[in-house]
Amino acid sequence: GCTCPSGEYHDGVTLSCEACDPLCGECSGALETQCTSCKNNMIFDSSAGTCGCGSGSFIDTDYSCKACDDSCLECSGNEANECLSCKNNMVFNTLTHVCECPNTHTYFDDVAYSCEDCDDSCAECSGPLVTECTSCTSDKLFDSSTNRCLEICGSNEYRDVDFSCQPCDPSCAECLGES
């Protein structure tokens, strides 16, 4: 038999060396299911005769496996908008192909790469703390100087140093402080 260079196989009909599928390092035929080894760092599946990449990576144009964006479980490229499925409890947005948090009462934790709950006082937030609210429920007042959601004080109440509403002195109809 004839020996062909790497990346080619001997075609018994044409009696010449023909190119393997681009994913194959070596092959027994032209199909992507006829690989006998893979190019670069791709993973060889001997039962299927195919080459591919593991979870969290994709086949790049140079036929090597490259890492997906950290938010993607599977992807078609390394950008955040090239996800095909998402890690952890993130939700896939079918319009933007970006992995997002499932609702507004969560924030993206970029260390754990998951969506975590906001403080109960926040409607939306940038982190877990009471001082990381970005918006409030309708029964709360957003204080932009502290990024807190505060109780709405009544006309006969004042806001204390701990941000709670306290009753005015009984002799006052309205007040700015205790006395």
Side-chain angles (χ1 to χ4, degrees), residues 75-124:
C75 65
S76 59
N78 62 355
E79 298 297 323
N81 65 349
E82 294 178 303
C83 295
L84 301 172
S85 66
C86 304
K87 277 186 184 171
N88 302 327
N89 58 352
M90 298 180 80
V91 175
F92 182 67
N93 182 322
T94 53
L95 296 174
T96 61
H97 293 262
V98 171
C99 293
E100 304 170 327
C101 290
N103 59 51
T104 56
H105 191 68
T106 56
Y107 70 95
F108 178 67
D109 181 328
D110 56 7
V111 177
Y113 280 96
S114 65
C115 300
E116 303 297 333
D117 288 331
C118 297
D119 182 82
D120 289 339
S121 67
C122 309
E124 296 177 294

Side-chain angles (χ1 to χ4, degrees), residues 139-141 149-154 157 159 163-166:
D139 64 332
K140 298 254 196 270
L141 176 72
C149 292
L150 306 174
E151 281 182 80
I152 298 170
C153 296
E157 295 178 314
R159 191 168 312 285
F163 298 100
S164 66
C165 296
Q166 298 296 327

Side-chain angles (χ1 to χ4, degrees), residues 6-9 19-40 42 44 49-52 63:
S6 183
E8 295 183 3
Y9 69 98
C20 295
D21 182 86
L23 300 180
C24 303
E26 296 181 359
C27 66
S28 60
L31 303 177
E32 66 178 31
T33 55
Q34 292 178 308
C35 298
T36 55
S37 72
C38 303
K39 280 189 179 164
N40 303 321
M42 282 195 279
F44 180 60
T50 57
C51 295
Y63 301 108

